[in-house]
Amino acid sequence: ETPFFAERVATGKLPAIDQRLPEQPRVLDMQSMGRIPGKPGGTWRMLMGDQRDLRMVTLYSYARLVVFDEKLQLVPDILESFEDQDDKVFTFHLRKGHKWSDGQPFTAEDFRYYWEDVALNPKLSPTGPNVALLANGQKPKFEIIDPETIRFTWDTPNPAFLPSLAASQPVYIFMPAHYLKQFNPRYAGKDDLAKKIKDAHVKDWSALHERMSRQYRPENPELPTLEPWRNTTPPPADFFVFERNPFYHRVDENGRQLPYIDKIAMMLGTTNLIPAKVASGEADLQARYINFEDYTFLKHAEQANNYQVELWQQGYGARAALMPNLNAADPIWRKILRDVRFRRALSLGINRRDINRVLFFGLARESGNTVLPESPLYKQSYADAYTNYDPAEANRLLDLVGLDKRDGEGFRLLPDGRRADIVIETAENDTVDTDILELVGDDFAKLGIRIFNHPSQRDAFRQRIFSGQVIMSMAEGLDNAVPTEKFEPDALAPSAESQFQWSRWGLYFESGGSQGEAVDMPEPQHLLDLLHDWRHSTSDAQRKTIWDEMLSINADQVYTIGIVNGTQQPVVVDGNMRNVPKSALFSFEPGSFFGIYMPDTFWYDVKSE
Amino acid sequence: MLRYLIRRFMIMIPTLFFTSAIIFTVINLSPTDYFSNYVAELQAQGEKADMSRVEFLKREYGFDKPPVERYFLWVGGLLHGDYGYSFEYQLPVKDVVGDRLYLTILVSFSTILFTWLIAFPIGIYSATHQYSWADYGLTTLGLLGLAIPHFLLALLFMYFANVWFGLSIGGLMDPQYLNASMSWGKVRSVLAHVWIPVLIIGTAGTGAMIRTVRANLLEELQKQYVTTARAKGLHPFRILIKYPLRLAMNFFISDIGSILPSVVSGAELVAIVLSLQTTGPLLIHALQTQDMYLAGSFLMFLATLTIVGVLISDIALAFLDPRIRLQGGAR
Amino acid sequence: MSETPDILRVNQLRISFQLQRGALDVVRGVSFRVPLGKTVALVGESGSGKTVISQAIMGLLPKAGSISGGQILFDDPLKVDGGEPVDIARLPRDGREIRHLRGGRIGMIFQEPMSSLSPVHTIGNQIEEALRLHRPIKAGEGRSITEAMLEMVGFKNPHRAYRQYAFELSGGLRQRAMLAMALICHPALLIADEPTTALDVTIQAQVLNLMRSLQSDLGMSILLITHDLGVVANMADEVVVIYHGEIMEAGSANDIFRHPQHPYLKALLAALPHFDMKPGERLTALRDTSGDLAPVMTSRRQTLAEQTSTAQPSTPILAVNNLRKTYPGKRSGILGKRAERVVAVSDVSFEIKRGECLGLVGESGSGKTSIGKLIMRAIKADSGSVVFNNGSGPVDVLALHGPAGRRFRTAIQMIFQDPVSSLSPRMTVLNIIREPLEIHNQGSPSEQTARVADLMSAVGLDRRFLNRYPHSFSGGQRQRIGIARALALDPELIICDEPVSALDVSVQAQVLNLLKDLQRELGLTYLFISHNLAVVDYIAQRIAVLANGRIVEIAPRGVLFRSPAHSYTQALLKAVPFPDLDHPLDFTSVALRGASNPKNWAPQFQDEGDPASLTPIDLGQGHIVLARATIDRKELVA
Amino acid sequence: MNALPPSSGKLVHYVSDAPFDVQSVKRLTPEQERVYLASQWRLMWWKFKRHRLAVVASLVLLVLYGTIPFSEFLAPYNGSTRNTDFIRSPPQKMHLFHDGQFVGPFVYGKDYRLNMTDLKRDYTVNHANLQRIRFFCHGDPYQFWGLVPADVHLMCPADGGTLFLLGSDRLGRDVLSRMVYGARISLTVGLIGISISFLLGITIGGLAGYYGGWFDLLSQRAIEIVHSIPHIPLWLALAAVMPVTWSPMLVYFGITVILGLMDWTGLARAVRAKLLSLREEDYVLAARLMGAGTPRVLFRHLLPGFISHLIASATITIPSMILGETALSFLGLGLRPPVISWGVMLNEAQNMNVVALYPWLMLPVVPVILVILTFNFLGDGLRDAADPYN
Ligand SMILES: Nc1ncnc2c1ncn2[C@@H]1O[C@H](COP(=O)(O)OP(=O)(O)OP(=O)(O)O)[C@@H](O)[C@H]1O
Ligand SMILES: Nc1ncnc2c1ncn2[C@@H]1O[C@H](COP(=O)(O)OP(=O)(O)OP(=O)(O)O)[C@@H](O)[C@H]1O
Ligand SMILES: [Mg+2]
Ligand SMILES: [Mg+2]
């Protein structure tokens, strides 16, 4: 029994431990994971910026129907098991006796409620069910086999379905029906609901339901959950306390219910201050809002405040990548930007070693925007394509592109006589970005090109890209740089508006051709075709070849000019906290930051107490 | 007098109306809105926004209506004490602001008190010892407070308060009290923290205040009635208190209206740097995320505070200064 | 040997001021005394050091000033052990001893009653404060003593006055409040620094009377500082004449007025206008700097000649008919009901003939300035007309606009009451005088400059002063600059609003002489506003007496002074202090009676609530008086 | 010199026998003569001179503004020259003596080591490496006044050496040089802003004060409204409407305009109050009676009356604009690299790392403080000298 609940159990407020666990809990064998079984207790203090960061707990907890393990294999978690026939028929088996955090059973009804009462309700989901639930635009067939078994069936393969359930930001296909029914007019009493709507100051029941049912961002303390910790503080607040879920489904090999850590205390505040607060020992495990720049400062206070600073590797395809906008509105520029020689020239013209040395202490990897060596899909050639520093070749290529005329000061001119100045736009004010651009600017000056950095607010920045006003932007590279072939390779093809190198093509794809522009270049079109192939693929081998081809096209065509990747993320770990990996990959996707390393297995090694 | 009051009140109404219009325009100036902002933030992190939810929310908050209509909806709400709804917090603005308001008021009033407690004696001393070394020294000290940018000062203070006194960095209280209800421990913790922001916000104000006290007093000190008082044989200190200071006070009373808002907004930057649980960071954040009803109602609140402050100071002045009181606002 | 010991003995007092570079000796070895219970007058022109001496006695010298020698011995009659007199010159500034003397033993009335009282404290509060400080009194007693004092200095309702503020009181009442404050502790010595300069004659008489009676009641000594010899003659036992920080002559009042010896004193006496002056007799100014009118005259003479040929001699240059002006009244009362409008000018009619000088007299607030401004169109009249006729036909001034209005601006000019505030302090004299020429585009810049130079010499100022700023001139010189500016455009009529009331006698004489010369040589016409009857008598041919906005009497000067008909005129005349021991003021008749209050007038002049019941009645010789239409002429003359 | 009569004695009639000169009062001492002939400016200057601190302050300001045209020459490096081997190098002290021997101004070279445990560059002074500072030397090339190519600097590092008297920043740029360059923007940002605020303040306040009536009422309300809206949101909003494609210089201009637009209210009030009392003066009436029009009355008669007040308030507003620029930079709304201003430099310095590890990066606060102090003292002096005629 967990000491934290001992009293509640004794007074009968909670059932005993064996009543709380499912019949078949998920047993984690610490030893085999190379970890030490621990003892329960303690509070994990973390520092966050604002209320949106509540979702960090959901990320860090990483309890999903199915999850990726550290080797990026899909394993059942909340599900006891699942069956997948040709990526078309998915059968899920729930754990018998699994309960929500309020002690109510978790059953097929919760899936049904989501599917029938939420996903298919036009008021709650005006645009229909989540895209992950659509294969080729078709809805699945949903069946309840028995209270612990459900099945989704599509006519065509839907290989993205399981990864989307295991994603850091998962697609929720179940909801605590017993709780939410009180907000749904189909089930709730009319007067009762009207009163609730009034008390919450909302317009109608759909708004109320929407608000009460947010699972990803656990703002509602009353919403039952399956996660290891549940929020106990109603917003607005600056200090959120999460408590362990007494019905959590994971146990260690000794049969001890996880998580080890009793509480999470999340303190909100100005993000600039977080490094300083961390250094004064105010957080137990923290990576968010601290940067590589802060490492020295943090390291200096290590002893005094009993913590360790570890360096994890960031999981972006590039810490910063220049993104020439192939859809730029300016016709002259668009023509130049679409010329692969121009993109290669710019890539060759960046002195990545210098940047690495000045800004990253030589610890980053000078690489194009591609997958990281940790990924099974990695090839050295992708990383090295056009990343050697060769200004002479760059100049030669630029002359070929048609930028061979120069003005009095030696700067290149566009064919129409304008100076070939490039305004590189960035979102928000990030000193590292500014510095990178400053250094890149020095390098490009040697190519006869001047660049200007123009940071703007994130959404203004995006809007300008979407409308084609931006010639070139700079942002992080691939979000998921350690994919396996099971992940959808959508980031490598023009498939989303948020891909800054071809956002209008992406929009065209996203909107099914109603907005944006159709792709009118062969290689990107080929990438799209490949993406299509992946979506209809049925075997991992087939997927791997698709991935390989897409990666090599991207590397060869330099659609995005990656500068460095594998940059370091400082992670501050309390001196007494155990089981936190010394070095690992820190990324949102895949991995949910800490989530993949299972923070519910972290514990405090304190002598007494 | 009454007539004067009524007139003052009448003038207030169009002022408030215009202010609300300007505030509404100002917060709607930005070409984007909360929702695109929200989507942008999410995508920056690699997350995906559920577009159907966004559409849902947009309709919910009347973003399909023209701005003018939204303005009248908003103002109409304000008149009924409905301050609107925060997108970010998904709560009525009133609930979001909640406790922060009290802390803001605490910080602001402590600051004003601090400023006055320091600035008045120094200003008086400087004025009565014009051109002495002490005058120069104290003025310089006050100016120094004015000259060092707030945020830098805050940073330095915070760092050294942590290094030397082990005070937790930022915030207005130790974390464990944040959600706790009122208790002695909480009060003590707040008091242990509040001095830093008060000192920082106060230093700038103090510098300015010293200078105004000094200037005003110098002017009053030359007046003939001071000599009259001396001719009565009054002690110089009593003279100072009773006559020039009393008249110089008028200046401060007439300034009350702007003191509070200026402290509140002067505190904003500091509050961000120090991560105070006051309204400042909330406001800035709301502005940056285009959480427009939160920002708008809050600004309106501040503006009303100023306008009412000016009104109060006018009334106070009318009560204190017989010339205004008896001559019916001939000002 | 007289019985009375000296309460104050000032011995070889030297005071110097620390200026930018070096010290300026302002008082240079002055010795005088104030005997117990007597009044000593300190007389001298402006800037001679009178105020500084009084400040030194109170220990209130400005920071820049210091006593560089001599003693100020104060011999307090209440001293218990009859010990040595205190030397105030050696007491530390603001020390305990001097604070005990100030207010307690020596009271002081300051030169400016307007600003000497705190605007935000009640009169009672400020007076009682002095009382509490120096006299042990029981709680609650203070107020009754204060009110008694207020009553004593002539407040009709002391209970109310106690709670009033300074700005609610008229100048005269403020001066009384100051007096009460100085006297509340029954000081042994009262220093009164020009206690009446700001007041008009009737009020002045009241205040002086008050001081005299209090002196005899309380047995105190008075050091009276003034440059008005008329006041001195009526008040002082002994007189000290000071000039430029040194004493020129000292002696009993008798010695001074009957046997003046020092040339300075003689000059001062000669500079005073008095009523029995022969027509055409000139005042002798101390420093007479008569101007050279020749250059400005030539052009002037010509026009004059032309006009006299065309215009009928009988048509007046200015005719004012039934002029009326009201100001919005002050709001009062809790509900802020508007009080009735203040009638400043009511049904005023008069004419001025070409080349004439019409004097306009009346006490403060009677509407003199308002009339001047109405004629100048500086303010708008409620009703009535102002007709100006310079020979080219009558024009209604109040209806003028456009080019005609601009032309009119050149024809009438105004000389302001206050020589300090009527000249832009940031402009040189040249620019000031040239400005009207610039505005009306008269001549090229060089011609303008030449004319300015001519004007300067005309008013008796050195041409070298052209590049100076007004601040560097004395009051008299500034007034001349104002006159030069008024002359610049060759006006035909000049309205002089108390042009000499701010000046001391010797300077006053200079300015009056200048005005007279200009009138004679250039044929100027004046409307001369003043409340100083002697001055008006000197300069004007006809005099109008204004009371409460109405002209109550108008007559040629000789007639008016010889046989004043109206009660108000009579009261005014009686209140004038003569610098002549043989004509003491009859304090009993004027004092404490509001001379301008119609209730105190003879019944035939009272309107009994109906202003229309009064009509101007011609007594012959151009002597017109405002009286009830039903009254027989004979009664009025009697 | 008269003798004091005996106490209680009868007063003898005393007549001074000293020669009497009527004009003696009128005769001026040379000192007075000087004062009387002095113009307003002269008098102000005399009064101003008495305020020692203000005189010192104005000299300091003169020097500071004097550097503006010569930034390139005065700075040892160009503002953007990087030295990748000396990143975040602490200040190098200038020495004159080496081993007790005079060698002239020099610095010791620095060796550095990458400390891989805490990822810090550790610098050690190398006493063997003596680098003599060169004066009037050839260094980084620049375009003097954007026209003449030149490379002469007041001082440069020894050949192959470094000269970071105030340390270097995170890209290895010389802090001192950047401060010298930053003065350009920071010292002028106030001037443009103040012109705008003065233009608005004087016109609106002037008309309100002179005419009164409805214009006064309206402008008073306008002031109240501008006053009642907190500055930061206005900054945010106005910064948001500034077109994103503006070049840094245009942004700079826009910011000064914003600062100016925020600032006029105080001045307008002061002008109005002053005019309300000044317009009652007789000389204004006199001018009007002479037929002078409103502009003439306003500009010839009234404005000179508080020109000194205006100057004084200008000197106090400029610092607030300099501070405003830093505050804007803090909010990310102000100037941005590659523009160099003190605000930008401070903005880069505002984090705990700097406070704890690289404190010299906060040095740009020193000129900010200096400028604000000096401007304020100057303002003080001017205010005291303000009314030379009183
Ligand atoms: N604070 C001062 N600083 C410098 N000089 C002063 C000061 N006060 C007075 N004086 C000078 O002292 C002299 C005497 O001044 P005082 O005020 O005593 O004259 P007064 O006789 O009272 O004149 P008035 O009749 O105008 O009041 C004048 O020349 C004046 O310039
Ligand atoms: N602007 C004004 N507003 C209200 N009342 C006024 C105004 N100007 C003058 N008065 C009132 O009008 C009356 C006449 O004023 P005016 O200035 O004409 O008197 P005066 O005879 O010139 O007095 P003084 O001798 O003091 O100069 C006074 O009662 C005065 O209070
Ligand atoms: Mg005097
Ligand atoms: Mg008058």
Side-chain angles (χ1 to χ4, degrees), chain D residues 287-345:
Chain D
R288 271 183 33 223
L289 291 185
M290 278 183 283
T294 305
R296 187 181 189 95
V297 172
L298 264 181
F299 290 101
R300 289 291 302 265
H301 295 267
L302 292 174
L303 223 56
F306 53 98
I307 192 92
S308 38
H309 174 92
L310 291 183
I311 296 170
S313 75
T315 55
I316 292 174
T317 315
I318 292 179
S320 78
M321 298 221 168
I322 292 175
L323 273 185
E325 191 251 314
T326 59
L328 276 173
S329 291
F330 172 83
L331 286 174
L333 305 171
L335 300 170
R336 285 184 300 253
V339 174
I340 307 170
S341 82
W342 296 337
V344 168
M345 295 179 76

Side-chain angles (χ1 to χ4, degrees), chain C residues 51 111 193-194:
Chain C
T51 300
Q111 209 163 346
D193 190 358
E194 320 244 13

Side-chain angles (χ1 to χ4, degrees), chain C residues 45-52 54-55 111-112 193-194 225 227:
Chain C
E45 65 181 354
S46 189
S48 50
K50 306 183 295 292
T51 300
V52 170
S54 71
Q55 285 170 341
Q111 209 163 346
E112 297 118 12
D193 190 358
E194 320 244 13
I225 297 174
H227 55 231

